[in-house]
Amino acid sequence: MNNHEFDMVWIHYKLMRRPKKYGSGVIMNMGILAKLYRQARIAIMEDTHDVDANCDGPDLDFVYADVDSYQNEIAELYSYTEFCEFQMNVKAFEDQMELYDLPPNWQKQDAASQRSIVMKLVDQLEVSDRAFRMQAARCILYLAQGCWAEVQSDEEQHQNTRDNVIVLYQLGVFSSFIDLLNMEIETACSPDIVAVKITNVTLVDSTDIRVILSVLYIITETIRDEREKGSEDYRQLAESFVQEINSPLPDGELLTVKLLGMITRFCSGAAPQFPMKKVVLLLWKVSLLGLGGMDVLKHLKNEYRVKVGLDPITEDTLEVTKCMRASSPPATATDILENQYPKRNFKRSLMKQRFLDEPEQIDMDQMGNESGPNANNGNNTSTGSGTGNGEDELSQYYRPFDDPSASTSGNNTGTTANPNNQPSLTQAAAAVPAVQITARLPWTPKVRQKDIDQFLDISRNKFIGYSLIGDHESLAGLPQPIHEGFKTLQRHMYVSLADMQIKKEEDIARNPISTHEDEIKLTPAEILYQAILPNLPQYMIALLKVLLAASPTSKSKTESINIMADVLPKKMPLTATQSTKLTVDMGRHKEIIVKAVSAIILLYLKHFKINHVYQFEFMSQHLVFANCIPLVLKFFNQTITEYVNTKNSIPLLDFPSCVIGEQPDLSGDSFVYGGEMSDKPYSWRNVFSCINLLRILNKLIKWKHSRVMMLVVFKSAPILKKTLKVRHAMMQLYVLKLLKMQTKYLGRQWRKSNMKTLSAIYSKVRHRLNDDWAFGNDLESRPWDFQAEECTLRACVDRFNLRRYPEATQKCGAGGGSNGTAAQNAENAQQSNMHAGNGSGNSGGDRDTNGYGNGSSGSGGTAGSGQQHQQLHDYGVEGGFPSDEILTHSDFAFFGHSGWWDRKVELTDYFKANYAVWLEEEVYNSQTDWDAL
């Protein structure tokens, strides 16, 4: 039965179920049936959105990149409350020029004079008088800002910044400001200072350190931008700068480690006045420039793959998603009828994903008794867009690298970028060339060697009756279809770089003497990993604490860290305009922090995964231990479309617009929000943050069944489904990946109620051959294997760290506080997680829409609910979502050690006295079946 017949029979069947209303329970009048069909058909073509209104509005034209534009990145460095400090920089420059007996105009100085002035300022940075020292620092900040008081346009200011940064870096300003930063850190962490400033921290308390961080950030961001543009005069300077930030400072630390240490001290309360926004922004740009962005990652991945004998990657996720369109599944006749006739209470059934018009199935000439304007319009519409075997409709859903189930949403926007996407009552079917109709999916299917082995094992047991352990190719005795299936699987087999690295580690562990280990290449990622390894658990917890505090869903509490210290002015606003500006500034401040922290974590994960998979796994473990998964879910537990569209910005107050030209009065009616002046219907940084967090969640959970169960336990499916409302292809892709991972655990009822989501997964996400993702038949879904899987991974990671970095690993293990408590908490939480998945999976009845046992499941459902509640309690969540106290442990450093089984155990005197009896009973008299082992 084709799709058209399915829908028509379904309508016929449902209407025949109501004989009282239609008078006869035998066969309905064909005219009534045809009328309903025409109405549904017209509604399908006129409707531009999904019937559930899941995706309102046009597609977002957001283009994912490493960073936003240079102007926006510089503007985000400053808070609106820092406006008065720009004049302080000019005043410091004028005073300094008067001291040198020079005119206070930088552009009138020749190159030699400019270099002489900078050298004098650098010397002044080393004086003991703090006020004199900071005056020189403000002069340098004014130069780095482009001498904005002497220009009339943003372009002139940008060009001045570009020229001045070259002079500043060549004369050692960057290194001098690093020394100033060290001095400020030591001063800020003084016990006397902390005791005074621990409460009521405001913008004034971080004045000096903000000047230093601003200069460092402007130099870093300008060099990064010019390097990305390929500027010839910046080429050598950029190479030297990258080498400098990837090398240890005179005190032996990397700049990245120093900035991470500042975040850790801030979160521990040792330095509450640190300006977190500037710190995380500088850390992000230093890491991005030192490690490399998306292009560098793609090049490194292919380079490493070729080195181990693998083929380069031809499909890049970011490139493929650029060719996708954000879409929702199309409306079918059943949806339209349910909307038009809500009182009929039609029960939603499994819905087909396209509705083909085949006029030969219904003779439209039989509709004479239903003649009228509507009937004629419906007939014309049906014949106009339904000829050619439905090619007109097929072209809506099937495009190269597009969603086969894409609806015709966005037709009312007036755009004509894709005319074939919208059917027209006057458009002829011949206008759509047949060559454009393609059913190609956006991704080439993949299969792992493990899946091929499983396929062969099942086939051998079925047809031959035995299995061949370790044999990956023998097909003797198997029928011809199995041969063909095996060849198909082999053609699509994909071996990842991580698989090769894991295999190498297994060979070294099995034969440590005979297996040759390659020399460790000191890549930027390797240098960074070795530097942060001793304190990596604390760094991850600190980053997540900052992310939690900046999350829009977090509740402000007195005991939480105060990330608003570098926003709140000393005097609170008095007028309504000032209050509104401060409110916008605080929201903007949080968004920028979320953007920077999410970019840092994702950047580290991607580089560590390419450098060595166990470095990636080590960082991932500590993110999971610090409850990163529920934290990200909590972030998305909001009206995400509002968050994406929120624009906490005032363009007139952004640098350099706030200081160049005549400034308007921002009082009363002239106060204009950024959302009213921007031509984009979204916030770039908010979309960027959402995609980063989704990518982080995917990386933590992919191929980790125990962590997939955490998604199920935390009821992430409805949260993720709400995120699909954002009309952006890349964001939808990563959400659908997360939903695909847990679909098999959500129950039959959930899958039945979310067929449109399953259709979107099928059309957008890569297919894994032999992956039974839509059903619960996978052999890997056994809950009792989850705990062993996580422990085995942890043992492999610890063995890797102990072999390659013994000293750093020992420091990492010794850095925690109450290690036993932390270990027990994490172990119990993981074990409780498995029990919760077990209980909900075997509840004895169907699950509700969230995948958990309903009230009819009896005692099994009650037990599963109790275990689920206990698991949520262990993870520090309330009501299924993380609370603000989930990141309170500072002793997760224990897990950086080789594991609890490596700890030295003190034997009791009683055991020592009865050691011989223990040997006799537990060792000598114990029978072990070695074959079974």
Side-chain angles (χ1 to χ4, degrees):
M1 178 182 295
N2 59 32
N3 303 318
H4 168 79
E5 293 170 338
F6 178 91
D7 284 335
M8 293 302 299
V9 171
W10 187 88
I11 296 173
H12 195 181
Y13 169 74
K14 295 302 292 185
L15 293 177
M16 284 186 62
R17 298 276 292 177
R18 299 178 178 272
K20 293 182 180 180
K21 187 168 184 177
Y22 293 96
S24 174
V26 190
I27 298 294
M28 273 196 58
N29 189 312
M30 193 63 181
I32 297 177
L33 184 61
K35 179 180 179 180
L36 292 175
Y37 168 73
R38 289 197 311 274
Q39 292 176 350
R41 176 67 188 146
I42 294 172
I44 289 175
M45 291 188 298
E46 292 179 352
D47 189 20
T48 59
H49 300 294
D50 184 53
V51 292
D52 295 330
N54 283 341
C55 296
D56 294 333
D59 293 0
L60 302 184
D61 58 348
F62 172 86
V63 178
Y64 186 79
D66 288 321
V67 294
D68 200 355
S69 64
Y70 174 80
Q71 291 75 13
N72 290 339
E73 294 293 341
I74 292 295
E76 290 177 352
L77 175 65
Y78 308 102
S79 301
Y80 295 151
T81 49
E82 296 181 68
F83 174 77
C84 59
E85 297 185 8
F86 291 124
Q87 301 300 328
M88 297 172 60
N89 301 337
V90 179
K91 181 66 168 56
F93 177 75
E94 293 175 350
D95 293 344
Q96 202 68 29
M97 291 298 101
E98 183 179 354
L99 186 64
Y100 296 153
D101 293 329
L102 294 173
N105 193 312
W106 179 258
Q107 297 185 21
K108 291 183 179 180
Q109 309 294 330
D110 56 13
S113 178
Q114 290 179 352
R115 297 178 70 90
S116 175
I117 293 173
V118 173
M119 292 178 68
K120 292 178 181 179
L121 292 175
V122 172
D123 293 338
Q124 189 173 330
L125 293 174
E126 300 178 0
V127 299
S128 59
D129 187 355
R130 183 182 185 87
F132 199 48
R133 186 172 67 235
M134 292 311 300
Q135 180 176 341
R138 284 198 174 275
C139 289
I140 294 177
L141 176 58
Y142 175 72
L143 298 180
Q145 289 173 344
C147 302
W148 47 264
E150 306 172 14
V151 299
Q152 297 298 323
S153 66
D154 296 354
E155 290 75 15
E156 292 182 48
Q157 179 268 337
H158 182 203
Q159 184 61 38
N160 286 346
T161 296
R162 184 180 180 278
D163 297 336
N164 292 345
V165 164
I166 295 179
V167 177
L168 294 176
Y169 181 74
Q170 290 177 345
L171 297 179
V173 170
F174 191 84
S175 302
S176 299
F177 270 75
I178 293 295
D179 296 335
L180 281 182
L181 181 63
N182 288 331
M183 295 173 58
E184 290 296 326
I185 292 174
E186 293 176 2
T187 304
C189 296
S190 172
D192 298 335
I193 301 296
V194 173
V196 174
K197 296 184 177 181
I198 194 66
T199 59
N200 198 20
V201 181
T202 62
L203 189 69
V204 180
D205 299 317
S206 60
T207 301
D208 293 343
I209 197 169
R210 281 188 288 107
V211 171
I212 299 170
L213 291 171
S214 296
V215 173
L216 295 175
Y217 180 84
I218 293 174
I219 293 176
T220 304
E221 174 61 14
T222 303
I223 294 177
R224 185 209 60 79
D225 181 65
E226 295 297 331
R227 186 191 188 203
E228 185 176 311
K229 293 178 180 177
S231 301
E232 190 62 29
D233 49 350
Y234 263 83
R235 186 173 56 85
Q236 293 183 353
L237 185 143
E239 293 177 358
S240 175
F241 183 74
V242 171
Q243 185 177 0
E244 179 178 351
I245 61 179
N246 285 330
S247 302
L249 299 173
D251 57 359
E253 279 188 340
L254 288 177
L255 177 57
T256 304
V257 176
K258 191 172 296 294
L259 295 173
L260 286 169
M262 292 180 66
I263 301 175
T264 305
R265 290 174 180 173
F266 173 82
C267 293
S268 64
Q273 70 273 28
F274 280 168
M276 267 304 98
K277 186 185 75 172
K278 286 181 168 55
V279 172
V280 295
L281 281 174
L282 179 58
L283 174 61
W284 173 31
K285 296 306 172 61
V286 168
S287 301
L288 181 62
L289 189 55
L291 297 175
M294 293 185 295
D295 294 336
V296 175
L297 282 166
K298 183 178 179 181
H299 173 74
L300 286 176
K301 187 173 184 178
N302 287 333
E303 178 184 342
Y304 289 176
R305 285 181 61 85
V306 172
K307 186 177 179 181
V308 296
L310 300 175
D311 296 331
I313 296 294
T314 57
E315 289 180 340
D316 182 63
T317 303
L318 303 180
E319 294 298 327
V320 174
T321 51
K322 290 179 182 178
C323 302
M324 287 184 178
R325 287 187 58 234
S327 60
S328 58
T332 62
T334 58
D335 299 322
I336 303 302
L337 288 175
E338 287 173 359
N339 276 338
Q340 289 184 345
Y341 305 97
K343 294 182 180 180
R344 295 185 180 180
N345 254 345
F346 283 177
K347 186 177 180 181
R348 186 183 297 267
S349 67
L350 298 180
M351 294 169 290
K352 291 295 179 180
Q353 297 307 305
R354 61 184 184 273
F355 192 96
L356 301 183
D357 184 16
E358 298 181 9
E360 66 271 15
Q361 300 295 331
I362 295 180
D363 187 4
M364 293 299 178
D365 295 334
Q366 297 180 1
M367 303 176 188
N369 56 344
E370 297 295 330
S371 61
N374 294 336
N376 293 335
N377 291 340
N379 195 6
N380 294 338
T381 301
S382 179
T383 55
S385 62
T387 55
N389 296 325
E391 289 145 346
D392 214 9
E393 297 167 20
L394 275 174
S395 64
Q396 302 174 41
Y397 309 140
Y398 293 92
R399 302 177 191 84
F401 297 104
D402 203 354
D403 184 1
S405 63
S407 67
T408 59
S409 59
N411 296 343
N412 292 339
T413 60
T415 59
T416 58
N418 191 359
N420 294 335
N421 187 38
Q422 47 184 3
S424 175
L425 298 179
T426 60
Q427 181 181 3
V432 182
V435 294
Q436 295 185 7
I437 303 175
T438 174
R440 184 173 67 173
L441 293 170
W443 308 98
T444 302
K446 289 182 180 179
V447 64
R448 299 176 297 172
Q449 181 64 53
K450 178 180 179 180
D451 301 325
I452 298 180
D453 295 342
Q454 181 180 346
F455 172 76
L456 286 178
D457 190 53
I458 294 175
S459 301
R460 289 165 180 164
N461 286 327
K462 179 178 181 180
F463 293 102
I464 304 177
Y466 65 90
S467 58
L468 300 175
I469 305 299
D471 191 322
H472 307 297
E473 298 180 355
S474 178
L475 300 174
L478 298 178
Q480 185 62 29
I482 301 298
H483 289 229
E484 296 176 0
F486 176 74
K487 293 178 181 178
T488 302
L489 292 177
Q490 276 196 324
R491 281 199 307 270
H492 293 87
M493 188 176 72
Y494 173 77
V495 181
S496 66
L497 181 62
D499 293 336
M500 301 299 293
Q501 293 171 344
I502 292 175
K503 183 179 179 182
K504 181 71 173 179
E505 289 297 318
E506 290 175 350
D507 293 341
I508 295 175
R510 190 182 304 110
N511 305 306
I513 299 177
S514 60
T515 304
H516 173 70
E517 183 176 6
D518 298 333
E519 182 181 356
I520 301 176
K521 187 177 180 181
L522 291 179
T523 61
E526 182 68 29
I527 294 173
L528 176 63
Y529 183 77
Q530 294 183 15
I532 69 175
L533 177 59
N535 298 305
L536 187 141
Q538 289 90 335
Y539 296 154
M540 295 301 105
I541 292 175
L543 286 173
L544 292 182
K545 279 188 175 182
V546 174
L547 181 61
L548 174 65
S551 174
T553 56
S554 64
K555 300 176 183 178
S556 57
K557 296 185 178 180
T558 55
E559 65 270 17
S560 61
I561 57 178
N562 180 21
I563 60 172
M564 294 296 173
D566 50 334
V567 177
L568 297 176
K570 191 172 184 179
K571 295 181 180 180
M572 296 307 293
L574 301 177
T575 65
T577 301
Q578 292 176 345
S579 299
T580 304
K581 185 175 72 171
L582 181 59
T583 302
V584 172
D585 198 10
M586 293 174 66
R588 174 177 178 266
H589 185 80
K590 285 187 173 183
E591 292 174 359
I592 295 171
I593 290 179
V594 172
K595 165 188 171 182
V597 173
S598 62
I600 292 168
I601 296 176
L602 179 63
L603 185 69
Y604 288 177
L605 286 174
K606 292 187 70 65
H607 274 279
F608 287 158
K609 188 170 185 179
I610 292 177
N611 195 61
H612 199 287
V613 64
Y614 282 154
Q615 295 175 351
F616 162 80
E617 296 293 356
F618 184 65
M619 180 176 172
S620 300
Q621 281 183 342
H622 289 287
L623 289 173
V624 174
F625 291 155
N627 287 331
C628 180
I629 294 176
L631 172 58
V632 175
L633 292 178
K634 178 178 181 178
F635 178 87
F636 285 102
N637 186 31
Q638 58 175 315
T639 308
I640 200 66
T641 51
E642 293 183 3
Y643 181 76
V644 166
N645 297 330
T646 300
K647 298 176 184 177
N648 287 314
S649 63
I650 306 173
L652 294 177
L653 295 181
D654 287 339
F655 181 85
S657 300
C658 61
V659 292
I660 296 180
E662 184 179 355
Q663 299 302 310
D665 183 17
L666 291 180
S667 61
D669 298 335
S670 63
F671 190 84
V672 182
Y673 293 96
E676 300 175 9
M677 298 183 64
S678 176
D679 56 341
K680 294 183 178 180
Y682 60 89
S683 169
W684 195 96
R685 60 174 169 263
N686 289 351
V687 180
F688 180 76
S689 302
C690 291
I691 294 178
N692 285 344
L693 291 173
L694 289 170
R695 297 183 71 186
I696 291 170
L697 203 56
N698 270 279
K699 288 193 171 299
L700 294 181
I701 294 175
K702 187 177 181 181
W703 302 121
K704 306 291 189 305
H705 300 287
S706 58
R707 300 174 190 176
V708 172
M709 284 303 301
M710 292 177 66
L711 289 181
V712 180
V713 169
F714 291 133
K715 300 182 180 180
S716 65
I719 300 175
L720 296 173
K721 278 190 62 182
K722 288 191 300 183
T723 310
L724 289 174
K725 294 181 180 180
V726 180
R727 293 190 60 86
H728 189 263
M730 180 179 292
M731 187 181 297
Q732 289 184 351
L733 172 65
Y734 287 110
V735 172
L736 293 173
K737 283 185 176 183
L738 291 170
L739 288 172
K740 178 182 177 181
M741 296 176 190
Q742 54 180 317
T743 299
K744 68 179 70 174
Y745 305 112
L746 295 178
R748 181 183 303 174
Q749 184 61 38
W750 187 92
R751 295 192 292 268
K752 185 177 180 181
S753 304
N754 294 273
M755 288 303 294
K756 291 186 177 183
T757 304
L758 298 186
S759 174
I761 293 173
Y762 177 85
S763 60
K764 283 184 176 292
V765 184
R766 185 191 302 274
H767 290 271
R768 295 277 177 171
L769 302 181
N770 285 3
D771 183 12
D772 208 4
W773 61 271
F775 306 96
N777 302 327
D778 195 341
L779 296 177
E780 294 181 349
S781 62
R782 295 174 294 181
W784 51 85
D785 288 339
F786 293 159
Q787 183 69 11
E789 175 191 51
E790 199 73 26
C791 290
T792 301
L793 175 62
R794 196 164 72 187
C796 294
V797 172
D798 294 335
R799 184 170 61 241
F800 166 79
N801 284 332
L802 278 173
R803 192 188 76 253
R804 291 181 59 161
Y805 323 106
E807 295 181 1
T809 306
Q810 295 297 332
K811 291 180 182 178
C812 183
S818 53
N819 293 339
T821 304
Q824 191 65 33
N825 288 343
E827 195 73 21
N828 291 342
Q830 193 75 6
Q831 186 174 2
S832 180
N833 178 16
M834 301 311 111
H835 290 323
N838 223 349
S840 61
N842 301 323
S843 57
D846 280 342
R847 302 179 181 182
D848 60 11
T849 56
N850 288 327
Y852 297 97
N854 52 29
S856 62
S857 58
S859 61
T862 304
S865 176
Q867 291 168 346
Q868 171 195 341
H869 177 76
Q870 177 64 29
Q871 206 283 337
L872 297 177
H873 175 74
D874 290 337
Y875 270 97
V877 298
E878 301 170 357
F881 307 111
S883 63
D884 286 344
E885 289 83 11
I886 61 173
L887 298 174
T888 56
H889 298 294
S890 61
D891 53 358
F892 275 105
F894 166 80
F895 294 99
H897 200 262
S898 54
W900 58 268
W901 50 83
D902 285 339
R903 288 182 294 171
K904 294 183 179 180
V905 179
E906 293 293 335
L907 302 177
T908 62
D909 296 336
Y910 176 80
F911 180 82
K912 294 178 181 178
N914 297 276
Y915 178 65
V917 179
W918 177 82
L919 278 178
E920 188 68 27
E921 294 179 354
E922 301 293 337
V923 180
Y924 300 143
N925 294 335
S926 178
Q927 300 296 328
T928 303
D929 188 354
W930 300 104
D931 295 333
L933 290 177

